[in-house]
Amino acid sequence: MRRALIVVDVQKDFCEGGSVPVKGGADRARAIAGLARRGAGTKYAHVVATRDHHLDPGGHFSDHPDFRDSFPVHCVAGSDGSEFHPHFAPTAASEAVDEVFYKGAHSASKSGFEGSTAAGTPLADWLRARDVSHLDVVGIATDHCVKATALDGARAGFTVRVLLDYTAGVATDTTTAALQELRQAGVHLTGNPVVLA
């Protein structure tokens, strides 16, 4: 069994002070950095991270967002808000993180499995090439991109668990619904998500 840690979208725009802030995001960024550093090469065969990387995602950006399918402008490629949060950035730049997967250039692309490396390798292919079978998913936000990544991982045949102590949710109702959807898909859940909305 080879297990990988997937760190989802721990970016400035999704933490306090960003354009689409999730309360508790900065605290989770710090906790995730510690988890990645401790687990790299021991608990985890690989640690990878995803990043929203929007160029022109169409209706995903809206002046009147519903905060479910449409959002204010965020994580525009090359912008400061698209960068990893400072609590996580040093870890992402270190040997603890093996690869970064960019998603959403021209679409919403909530799932990390819609992302690829800078060289174009999709996440699922990258993991399978390294004989990874089990995934731990953490990051922001529990009820959006973390959920989508975990669900797609399970659909792709990986054994998936979400470490809720290392996630932050946007709202109580959508997080509760997301957890139910994950359970029904066979995703194992541990801990409790941070929901401060």
Side-chain angles (χ1 to χ4, degrees):
M1 181 189 78
R2 289 172 64 82
R3 184 180 297 276
L5 176 67
I6 301 178
V7 178
V8 177
D9 298 359
V10 181
Q11 293 166 265
K12 290 182 180 180
D13 271 346
F14 295 135
C15 296
E16 292 86 346
S19 63
V20 190
V22 179
K23 291 181 182 178
D27 179 63
R28 296 299 84 196
R30 182 183 288 108
I32 289 166
L35 175 68
R37 288 194 301 270
R38 291 191 306 272
T42 55
K43 182 176 182 178
Y44 298 112
H46 297 284
V47 177
V48 301
T50 71
R51 283 177 60 171
D52 255 14
H53 188 73
H54 296 308
L55 297 173
D56 181 15
H60 186 55
F61 286 172
S62 174
D63 292 331
H64 306 285
D66 62 15
F67 294 95
R68 291 179 186 266
D69 298 310
S70 60
F71 295 85
V73 174
H74 63 276
C75 296
V76 173
S79 70
D80 185 62
S82 73
E83 298 297 322
F84 287 121
H85 189 275
H87 293 336
F88 179 68
T91 299
S94 75
E95 294 181 2
V97 175
D98 298 302
E99 190 58 87
V100 177
F101 294 82
Y102 300 88
K103 59 187 178 68
H106 299 285
S107 64
S109 292
K110 290 185 177 182
S111 169
F113 282 89
E114 298 175 85
S116 59
T117 66
T121 304
L123 176 56
D125 292 350
W126 192 95
L127 293 168
R128 289 191 183 108
R130 289 155 181 81
D131 297 320
V132 170
S133 57
H134 290 61
L135 306 175
D136 284 357
V137 181
V138 300
I140 306 170
T142 317
D143 37 351
H144 293 282
C145 296
V146 169
K147 177 189 81 169
T149 300
L151 289 174
D152 277 357
R155 290 186 193 109
F158 296 95
T159 300
V160 183
R161 66 183 180 185
V162 175
L163 310 184
L164 296 173
D165 288 338
Y166 297 91
T167 69
V170 173
T172 300
D173 61 339
T174 52
T175 298
T176 299
L179 299 187
Q180 181 63 22
E181 190 174 349
L182 289 165
R183 288 188 190 97
Q184 290 174 345
V187 173
H188 184 63
L189 307 177
T190 69
N192 298 289
V194 173
V195 182
L196 300 174

